[in-house]
């Protein structure tokens, strides 16, 4: 039988890699702004649910993989996902005490900070436009959070992962 720690490790990495695949899934240009930040959502979940197992290094590694896949300047997504993991680890005890609605608001704030940081980095590398449409994935992620959180919690309980 597989131990609980190994099941937890496998589930963590499988969900992060699945989120990475959803993040880079090709979409039409007009649909790209409606795609939630899947990798950010899953990273927030694991940083809150298992802070002793998932942290800044996971965000950095997943960000580097995302940089390599998307062809963005190396370190751009690594920086933003590391920041997201750090901020999630910083508030994880408070986060656990909140209701799902309050958690959704906090997820919107965390993803919004990361999106703002990403926009700031993009201004360093080229032309930029000033509009708030870049916050739409954060808003959609906040709306999806209760469903995603409940699904991953029930999966962890079913697999008996601590």
């Amino acid at each position: 039988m597989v131990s609980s720690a190994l099941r937890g490790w496998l589930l963590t990495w499988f969900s992060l890699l699945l989120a990475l695949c959803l993040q880079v899934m090709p979409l039409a240009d007009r649909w790209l702004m409606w795609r939630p930040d899947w990798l950010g959502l899953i990273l927030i979940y694991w940083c809150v649910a298992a802070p002793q197992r998932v942290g800044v290094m996971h965000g950095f590694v997943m960000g580097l993989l995302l940089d390599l896949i998307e062809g963005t300047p190396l370190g751009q997504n690594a920086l933003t996902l590391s920041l997201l993991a750090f901020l999630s680890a910083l508030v994880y005890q408070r986060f656990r005490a909140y209701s799902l609605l309050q958690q959704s608001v906090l997820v919107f704030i965390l993803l919004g900070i990361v999106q703002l940081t990403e926009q700031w980095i993009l201004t360093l590398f080229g032309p930029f436009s000033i509009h708030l449409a870049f916050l739409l994935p954060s808003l959609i992620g906040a709306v999806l959070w209760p469903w995603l959180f409940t699904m991953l919690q029930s999966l962890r309980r079913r697999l008996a992962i601590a």
Side-chain angles (χ1 to χ4, degrees):
M1 209 59 185
V2 180
S3 72
S4 174
L6 181 60
R7 280 194 306 254
W9 185 84
L10 288 173
L11 180 63
T12 301
W13 279 105
F14 176 76
S15 63
L16 284 169
L17 291 174
L18 179 65
L20 180 67
C21 290
L22 289 172
Q23 191 74 26
V24 298
M25 181 177 61
L27 290 174
D29 287 338
R30 63 184 169 168
W31 288 101
L32 282 176
M33 66 186 233
W34 296 96
R35 179 190 353 224
D37 187 1
W38 291 109
L39 197 51
L41 286 169
I42 298 296
L43 188 62
I44 289 172
Y45 175 78
W46 285 115
C47 286
V48 168
Q52 71 283 359
R53 195 175 341 149
V54 177
V56 175
M57 186 55 97
H58 287 80
F60 184 77
V61 169
M62 296 310 290
L64 280 179
L65 287 174
L66 189 58
D67 286 333
L68 291 173
I69 292 170
E70 289 183 341
T72 57
L74 197 60
Q76 176 182 328
N77 288 310
L79 173 69
T80 58
L81 288 176
S82 297
L83 175 66
L84 181 62
F86 173 74
L87 292 174
S88 299
L90 197 63
V91 298
Y92 85 92
Q93 290 177 332
R94 211 171 307 149
F95 196 96
R96 289 178 175 179
Y98 290 160
S99 69
L100 280 178
L101 182 62
Q102 291 170 320
Q103 285 181 7
S104 292
V105 171
L106 188 55
V107 164
F108 174 70
I109 292 169
L110 290 173
L111 290 175
I113 290 171
V114 168
Q115 292 292 329
L116 284 170
T117 305
E118 188 174 337
Q119 287 298 313
W120 176 71
I121 291 171
L122 288 175
T123 62
L124 296 176
F125 290 112
F128 67 97
S129 59
I130 301 176
H131 55 79
L132 292 176
F134 68 89
L135 287 174
L136 201 54
S138 302
L139 182 63
I140 293 170
V143 169
L144 289 176
W145 178 255
W147 169 79
L148 187 70
F149 181 82
T150 305
M151 182 187 71
L152 287 172
Q153 283 292 93
S154 74
L155 186 60
R156 281 183 63 210
R157 284 189 188 111
R158 178 170 286 179
L159 295 176
I161 297 171

